[in-house]
Amino acid sequence: MRVVSLVPSLTEAVAVTVPEVLVGATDWCTHPAGLDVARVGGSKYPDLDRVLALRPDLVLLNVEENRREDADALAAAGVPVRVTYPRTVPQAFTELADLLAALGVAGEPDWLAAARRAWAGASAPTAVRRAVVPVWRRPWVVLGGDTFAGDVLRRLGVVNLYDYAPERYPRPDLAAVRAREPELVVLPDEPYPFSATDGPEAFGGTPCALVSGRHLTWYGPSLAEAPGLLAAQLAAPLT
């Protein structure tokens, strides 16, 4: 089988489990380190001619990462596509297990079993914090409801104040975000690279937790580390 992945987290999952099937990935597929496969452009705007030139038996996509028109174009060219869309941690486990089984993997790999154990053993939060979760600025975009990242945070004691917004990624202005009076601002380092000097200054002294965007939003081998790492980062916000 020849697989092209247009989803960084799935690229990592396939590369550490059945590397021999992976023939192409996006420019944003940064894990595992040293990944040596053909690159086919970005997740949002892949070079479909490059994808097709790799003669894939399957292309991996995700509802949030990729565009419907690219999925349709690949299907029209006769290429099978598999589209993922987990919105919770358990759904991520199920979709990963199903994908790997479809690729011929017998049983669950060690990293997936470790991820299940890590989340099953994660301590119940002793306190709940009301938070906003910007994922972009210029313009500001925040995490809304029905998202994988939102479920990850909920399991770690963070209640997203935009969880019930009609949009999954609302675009409020900064004044509206501040008006929600969050107890915490969660600033991931991707897709926007928030940092100690880029982001916290906008929130007027509200504690800001700088967290790993990969561990917050990726569903793959990073899930095994995510509960411990994110809990530590959320517990040590900048003030």
Side-chain angles (χ1 to χ4, degrees):
M1 182 175 285
R2 296 172 62 83
V3 175
V4 173
S5 173
L6 303 183
V7 187
S9 55
L10 296 182
T11 297
E12 183 179 16
V14 174
V16 302
T17 311
V18 276
E20 64 274 12
V21 308
L22 189 67
V23 297
T26 75
D27 298 344
W28 300 108
C29 293
T30 56
H31 290 74
L35 180 65
D36 185 17
V37 296
R39 301 293 176 159
V40 296
S43 300
K44 294 294 185 201
Y45 299 100
D47 186 326
L48 296 187
D49 288 336
R50 277 194 253 169
V51 173
L52 295 173
L54 293 171
R55 298 177 289 109
D57 299 303
L58 182 66
V59 176
L60 306 180
L61 303 104
N62 171 267
V63 168
E64 290 192 354
E65 289 276 350
N66 310 112
R67 301 184 306 160
R68 176 65 180 266
E69 50 261 53
D70 291 326
D72 290 345
L74 290 166
V79 177
V81 299
R82 189 180 186 101
V83 181
T84 60
Y85 190 28
R87 275 92 75 202
T88 68
V89 172
Q91 285 177 358
F93 291 149
T94 298
E95 293 200 23
L96 287 164
D98 289 349
L99 168 61
L100 295 174
L103 297 181
V105 177
E108 286 195 350
D110 290 345
W111 64 262
L112 184 51
R116 289 187 190 274
R117 289 193 301 270
W119 282 99
S123 300
T126 57
V128 173
R129 286 167 290 178
R130 300 162 54 257
V132 294
V133 190
V135 295
W136 199 261
R137 69 181 302 180
R138 305 185 189 98
W140 289 97
V141 180
V142 300
L143 190 70
D146 196 29
T147 63
F148 174 74
D151 186 59
V152 166
L153 290 171
R154 189 161 42 250
R155 292 167 186 273
L156 298 174
V158 175
V159 174
N160 179 11
L161 291 173
Y162 282 90
D163 196 41
Y164 299 104
E167 308 94 349
R168 297 180 69 247
Y169 291 94
R171 297 191 173 202
D173 61 31
L174 185 57
V177 175
R178 288 173 170 168
R180 296 275 175 137
E181 299 184 344
E183 299 170 298
L184 181 70
V185 179
V186 179
L187 297 173
D189 59 10
E190 64 172 72
Y192 186 88
F194 287 109
S195 68
T197 57
D198 188 352
E201 79 289 343
F203 295 98
T206 301
C208 293
L210 301 174
V211 303
S212 166
R214 173 172 169 253
H215 290 86
L216 179 61
T217 64
W218 287 31
Y219 51 102
S222 60
L223 279 170
E225 302 172 346
L229 176 63
L230 291 172
Q233 292 173 331
L234 291 167
L238 303 176
T239 55

